[in-house]
Amino acid sequence: QLQLVESGGGLVQPGGSLRLSCTASGFTLDYYFIGWFRQAPGKGREGVSCISSRGGSTNYADSVKGRFTISRDNAKNTVYLQMNSLKPEDTAVYYCAVDGFRGCRLTRTTDFRSWGQGTQVTVSS
C-alpha cells in the first residue's frame, strides 16, 4: 500500500519561509508524479503544485507562482515544497498525494490518491 508522510509544517510570520517534505513509506517514489494540495478551514482542497517523476516538469497554482518551489530527491524518496514570502492566506493543512493519471492536473483532486495525513502551516504575526 502506498503511503505518504508530510512534515515540516509550523507557525511562521508573514514573509517567512518553510520547507515541507513528503516522504514515501513502503515504496519508491521515483516512478510517480506527486502533487501538493492544501485545505484551509471551511474551504475545499486546493491544488498547489505538482512534479513529474524525474522532476523535469512542474505545475503551480497561480496563487503560489513565484513564491513556492517544488522539487524532489528520488535518492531520498522525498518530494519537497519550498514556501517563501508566506502570506496569512497560505494558512492551511498541506497534503501530498500520488498523481494516478500522471498529468499534474491540479484542478482534478480525483486524479490523486494515497493522501498523507497532512501537516499544518500557520502564517500569522
Side-chain angles (χ1 to χ4, degrees), residues 53-65:
S53 56
R54 296 185 179 183
S57 177
T58 58
N59 193 15
Y60 296 92
D62 288 343
S63 58
V64 306
K65 279 181 183 176

Side-chain angles (χ1 to χ4, degrees), residues 42-53:
K43 295 187 177 181
R45 195 162 292 189
E46 173 193 17
V48 174
S49 185
C50 186
I51 189 167
S52 60
S53 56

